[in-house]
Amino acid sequence: MSDIWLFYLKILGYRHFFLMLFEIIVIGYANDVSEIMKYLPKICQGFLMSATLSPELNSLKKIVLHSPAVLKLEEDEEGKVNGKTKEGNLTQFYLTLPKRDKALVVYVFLKVG
Amino acid sequence: MPSTESLLDPQDTFATLCTTVGLDIRLRKGLSRLGYVRPTLVQSKCLPLAITSGRDLLVRARTGSGKTLAYCLPILHKILSKHDDPEESSGFVKAVILVPTRELCTQVTKTLNSLIYYCDEIISVATLFSGKNSSESAFAQQEAMLRDRPDVLVSTPAGLLVHINRDGSCLKTSLKHSVESLVVDEADLVLSFGE
């Protein structure tokens, strides 16, 4: 690590140092993308995919998208809609069976899926 | 006993979704060949918006929720639908996909290539990731891929810029005239930036 970074690290502390690094990195990425945008046609469909929507992404968003449709998918929502399991719908149950029927019932469950 | 219809909704399949959005038959076949049966939430929301409305999209979904498929299908569909009514354009690159790392480049390219299994004579994909440090031979190899006039470019932002700056006018004009879709994937995953 070069001296200048060590200097920053000392005066800023770890937390701020990494926040600063993060900012530099995000800005760098956005700069590259905006540079690329210059070589692309004005009208083209843009997709911006991300796991989070941090404020740092705003600059990228402005560069890439024009009045976008925003999809925010929450995890709990996803579980509910996708698996169609509302809370309490996922239940457990057991059957009391005589020993000789056990294999048969397991077979039926596997077969029915 | 859990009721079965709450677990298995017959409407909630790729087949239904594809019919709704009118996805190209070759992509449908590619999907079913890969064994995809049920779309994830992000896919079932993205596909109608991207294909039918053609709007720009900002999507927040966690890693592993099927985002890659959610943008790959619309751009491939767009390329196929334009291909069927021949209109001469001066460029060749129709879509640009930007991802932060070269590992992701490889991964996305793999997905694309498996999706275009039934139309690989129409669509071709090229991966560019030569950063500042990459070798001359790797660069030459990617230059050769560009000369094959790929329809889809998968690249890191830095990698694409290197090619734009070093390549002659060919890539530049193509980008300017024929690109219809741009994807910035994993926009927040930038920690490995700078290769």
Side-chain angles (χ1 to χ4, degrees), chain A residues 45 47 52 66 69 71 74, chain B residues 56 58 60 180 182 184 188:
Chain A
Q45 190 178 13
F47 296 83
T52 56
H66 301 284
L71 283 180
E74 306 293 343
Chain B
D56 281 5
L58 172 63
R60 184 188 69 183
E180 292 156 350
L182 168 72
V184 183
D188 58 342

Side-chain angles (χ1 to χ4, degrees), chain B residues 2-47:
Chain B
S3 60
T4 42
E5 80 251 272
S6 71
L7 294 175
L8 297 167
D9 180 0
Q11 294 302 308
D12 193 16
T13 62
F14 259 117
T16 340
L17 181 64
C18 291
T19 322
T20 320
V21 299
L23 194 76
D24 194 280
I25 185 73
R26 288 158 284 194
L27 294 177
R28 278 190 227 185
K29 279 166 82 178
L31 271 176
S32 56
R33 180 182 152 269
L34 292 171
Y36 289 116
V37 180
R38 286 175 185 281
T40 65
L41 181 66
V42 62
Q43 287 155 5
S44 51
K45 300 259 163 143
C46 260
L47 288 182

